[in-house]
Amino acid sequence: MSYIAWIISIGNELLIGKTVNTNAAWLARKLTLLGYDVRRIITVPDNEEDEVEVFRDAIKRGVRVVISTGGLGPTFDDKTSEYLAKALNRKYVINDEALKLVIETFKLKGLELTEPRLKQAKMPEGAKPLPNPVGTAPGIWVEEDNTIIIALPGVPAEMMGIFENYVEPKLREIGPKLHFIERSITVKGVPEADLAPIIEKGMKMSNRVYIKSHPKGHEIRSPLVEIHVYVSSEDVRKAEDEINKVLDFLIFAVKEKGGEVLST
Amino acid sequence: MSYIAWIISIGNELLIGKTVNTNAAWLARKLTLLGYDVRRIITVPDNEEDEVEVFRDAIKRGVRVVISTGGLGPTFDDKTSEYLAKALNRKYVINDEALKLVIETFKLKGLELTEPRLKQAKMPEGAKPLPNPVGTAPGIWVEEDNTIIIALPGVPAEMMGIFENYVEPKLREIGPKLHFIERSITVKGVPEADLAPIIEKGMKMSNRVYIKSHPKGHEIRSPLVEIHVYVSSEDVRKAEDEINKVLDFLIFAVKEKGGEVLST
């Protein structure tokens, strides 16, 4: 069983650099902690051709979980649900359950059920709406072949609210039961290039632990490098042992090079 | 002539949600201001299969400018240059000009020319190195068919330094000579769904101006929506006239709905 995940970020505001894609980082972190292997984050504009293509591509490749953000709102270019139906070759229809959710929300708030609001109840045939605890647009859960596609709003609080309440529990249930464990050390006084052979040696001590250096200071004048060590494993104890073994080696080797380990 | 641009972000740290992709937003903004049409931002892991695939895909589609960030450092998994050579079916060789740059930098700083550092002088055959005013790894400029590929380091200060000094002037020269003009208004007291028909009308007033709403407050309890209006045009005067016409209409229509325009 593959546990590959993709994140699809929809919105021109990301492509003109108006908005930093914090949604993708938040979702990537969540999916990683659930044990999924996030292999792509793809940002596409609000248009049919690009959206349909990227959803179809994910299904064709058998990606297990696809999460999209954006395009569920009430304005003219919020068409993720419609394009998703097209990508799936399904009808784009009023979903009874979604309609109930939308009507309830509006009644509760004393709002009129206008055309742009009614649109939020339309989904690909066979989809399941996910209640929105923050706003009005429900999320969408739909499956095709071996792929689960989850469409969430782009407004961060709504995206997070739906994910934590209705997506995370299900993805945990069907997920790989892996634990993601990580540690960081910060090294002062050794340029990244001189850490490279140490990191390579550390990588060879374990075939699961991944080590990555993140330069923070000035490469030459005052090198400061974070070394991030992480592993996904079914067995927390074993994983911690492995990470500790690698960390002990890194700390030893860095000090031998004259480096100072600032924090672990 | 197409002026489509892609940004390719390379690095596991983005896919495990450790790092927010601020590089992509910065580059997207720069490219947009230069008049390019950023159509995709794709984040891939540090591995051969994904990197080669995405570079080849961009070339096959005739994307005009591809900018990648990440994978130019000295560690074992920094292999963007090597994979780029592979994607281009070119040899991965020591570049004389890059070697000079690298040696100069190291001499200046009194550093040894070790194997991980020498790697930074290796590039796809026919590439041009871009001097790094901040760190040691040069950027890469290489052309294939109608596509320009520019590989930059992932460290933000280095990426920005190379881009502003050596990439931006060239992209401006060969670019579409478009000016990107934008305005925002913030509207209080009208839910996004009630702004939707106004925005749609505004869009119909011009076939170039784009209008997008960004909900900021609480959708129902206290709606606060930024309306962002933008256009890319050869003629600044005309573009400003068009934007002002649309803005005047939006402000009028929003007030008619009982909304308060907080800022323009």
Side-chain angles (χ1 to χ4, degrees), chain B residues 26 30-31 34 36 67 130-131 141 148 150 152 159-177:
Chain B
W26 189 88
K30 283 285 189 182
L31 288 166
L34 288 165
Y36 291 84
I67 302 189
L130 305 168
W141 179 294
I148 299 166
I150 300 151
L152 301 175
M159 182 277 288
M160 292 175 192
I162 299 176
F163 186 90
E164 290 186 330
N165 284 287
Y166 303 101
V167 178
E168 196 166 21
K170 285 198 207 179
L171 291 186
R172 180 173 290 119
E173 201 185 303
I174 61 166
K177 318 274 180 283

Side-chain angles (χ1 to χ4, degrees), chain A:
Chain A
M1 177 65 105
S2 135
Y3 291 106
I4 290 175
W6 280 20
I7 296 166
I8 299 174
S9 305
I10 298 164
N12 297 346
E13 67 276 18
L14 299 160
L15 294 162
I16 61 172
K18 177 173 168 54
T19 307
V20 175
N21 196 350
T22 53
N23 279 349
W26 189 89
L27 284 169
R29 177 84 186 154
K30 282 285 190 183
L31 289 166
T32 300
L33 291 174
L34 289 166
Y36 292 85
D37 175 11
V38 182
R39 202 65 73 79
R40 283 271 197 294
I41 300 170
I42 306 176
T43 304
V44 293
D46 301 285
N47 81 48
E48 180 169 335
E49 194 190 334
D50 292 290
E51 291 185 41
V52 168
E53 185 199 312
V54 72
F55 280 124
R56 284 193 177 155
D57 192 20
I59 296 164
K60 204 182 68 194
R61 295 183 195 219
V63 171
R64 183 70 181 116
V65 174
V66 177
I67 302 189
S68 76
T69 59
L72 296 187
T75 58
F76 74 95
D77 64 351
D78 286 313
K79 295 198 167 169
T80 299
S81 182
E82 186 180 335
Y83 298 157
L84 178 54
K86 180 138 193 182
L88 296 166
N89 298 310
R90 299 197 197 178
K91 285 186 193 150
Y92 174 59
V93 293
I94 293 275
N95 178 298
D96 290 340
E97 208 182 322
L99 186 63
K100 259 187 231 163
L101 285 173
V102 169
I103 289 175
E104 264 169 37
T105 309
F106 290 129
K107 261 196 189 154
L108 216 71
K109 326 264 174 179
L111 293 166
E112 251 180 286
L113 189 65
T114 56
E115 182 60 36
R117 285 193 176 112
L118 196 62
K119 192 178 77 172
Q120 303 183 340
K122 290 184 81 176
M123 296 190 175
E125 208 162 33
K128 238 196 98 55
L130 305 168
N132 185 333
V134 180
T136 60
I140 300 170
W141 178 295
V142 62
E143 304 190 14
E144 176 84 13
D145 299 336
N146 195 38
T147 301
I148 298 166
I149 300 171
I150 300 152
L152 302 175
V155 178
E158 300 186 24
M159 182 276 290
M160 293 176 193
I162 300 176
F163 186 89
E164 290 186 328
N165 284 288
Y166 303 100
V167 179
E168 196 166 23
K170 287 199 204 177
L171 291 186
R172 180 175 290 118
E173 200 185 303
I174 61 165
K177 319 276 183 276
L178 288 178
H179 305 269
F180 180 81
I181 295 162
E182 60 186 341
R183 298 276 192 291
S184 273
I185 59 174
T186 302
V187 175
K188 195 179 160 182
V190 186
E192 196 189 13
D194 296 336
L195 294 174
I198 295 174
I199 290 171
E200 199 166 354
K201 243 191 220 167
M203 280 291 287
K204 285 181 184 147
M205 291 177 69
S206 154
N207 51 15
R208 298 192 301 179
V209 171
Y210 202 94
I211 312 173
K212 183 133 190 175
S213 51
H214 300 279
K216 304 279 176 184
H218 187 284
E219 189 183 354
I220 311 296
R221 250 183 357 246
S222 64
L224 192 72
V225 178
E226 179 190 350
I227 304 180
H228 186 232
V229 185
Y230 61 92
V231 64
S232 279
S233 169
E234 321 77 51
D235 185 333
V236 182
R237 261 306 270 292
K238 251 194 197 160
E240 281 183 344
D241 285 351
E242 240 173 313
I243 279 217
N244 286 335
K245 186 180 72 180
V246 171
L247 264 185
D248 286 348
F249 162 75
L250 289 175
I251 291 170
F252 171 82
V254 159
K255 285 182 175 166
E256 216 184 30
K257 275 260 181 203
E260 191 182 342
V261 178
L262 290 188
S263 59
T264 57

Side-chain angles (χ1 to χ4, degrees), chain B residues 3-245:
Chain B
Y3 291 105
I4 290 175
W6 279 20
I7 296 166
I8 299 174
S9 304
I10 298 163
N12 298 345
E13 68 276 18
L14 298 161
L15 295 162
I16 61 172
K18 177 174 168 53
T19 307
V20 175
N21 197 353
T22 54
N23 278 350
W26 189 88
L27 283 169
R29 177 85 184 153
K30 283 285 189 182
L31 288 166
T32 300
L33 291 174
L34 288 165
Y36 291 84
D37 175 11
V38 182
R39 202 66 73 81
R40 284 270 198 296
I41 299 171
I42 306 176
T43 303
V44 292
D46 302 285
N47 80 47
E48 180 169 334
E49 195 190 333
D50 292 292
E51 292 185 40
V52 168
E53 184 199 312
V54 72
F55 280 125
R56 284 194 178 152
D57 191 20
I59 296 165
K60 203 182 69 194
R61 296 184 194 219
V63 172
R64 183 70 180 118
V65 173
V66 178
I67 302 189
S68 76
T69 58
L72 297 186
T75 58
F76 75 96
D77 64 351
D78 285 315
K79 293 197 167 168
T80 298
S81 182
E82 187 181 334
Y83 298 156
L84 179 55
K86 181 139 191 181
L88 297 165
N89 297 312
R90 299 196 197 179
K91 286 187 192 148
Y92 174 58
V93 292
I94 292 278
N95 178 298
D96 290 341
E97 209 182 322
L99 186 61
K100 259 186 230 163
L101 286 173
V102 169
I103 289 175
E104 263 169 38
T105 310
F106 290 128
K107 262 196 190 155
L108 215 71
K109 325 266 173 178
L111 293 166
E112 254 179 286
L113 189 64
T114 56
E115 181 61 36
R117 284 191 176 114
L118 196 62
K119 191 178 78 172
Q120 303 183 338
K122 290 184 83 176
M123 295 188 173
E125 208 163 32
K128 240 195 96 57
L130 305 168
N132 185 332
V134 180
T136 61
I140 300 169
W141 179 294
V142 63
E143 304 188 15
E144 176 85 12
D145 300 336
N146 195 38
T147 302
I148 299 166
I149 300 170
I150 300 151
L152 301 175
V155 177
E158 300 186 24
M159 182 277 288
M160 292 175 192
I162 299 176
F163 186 90
E164 290 186 330
N165 284 287
Y166 303 101
V167 178
E168 196 166 21
K170 285 198 207 179
L171 291 186
R172 180 173 290 119
E173 201 185 303
I174 61 166
K177 318 274 180 283
L178 289 177
H179 305 269
F180 180 82
I181 294 163
E182 60 187 340
R183 298 276 191 291
S184 273
I185 59 174
T186 302
V187 175
K188 195 179 160 182
V190 186
E192 196 189 14
D194 295 337
L195 294 173
I198 296 175
I199 290 171
E200 198 165 354
K201 240 190 222 169
M203 279 291 287
K204 286 183 184 144
M205 292 177 68
S206 154
N207 50 14
R208 298 191 302 179
V209 171
Y210 201 94
I211 312 173
K212 185 135 190 172
S213 51
H214 300 278
K216 304 279 178 186
H218 187 286
E219 190 184 352
I220 311 295
R221 248 182 0 246
S222 65
L224 191 73
V225 179
E226 179 192 350
I227 304 180
H228 186 231
V229 185
Y230 60 93
V231 63
S232 279
S233 168
E234 321 75 54
D235 186 331
V236 182
R237 262 304 270 291
K238 253 195 196 158
E240 282 183 343
D241 285 351
E242 238 171 315
I243 278 216
N244 286 335
K245 187 181 69 181

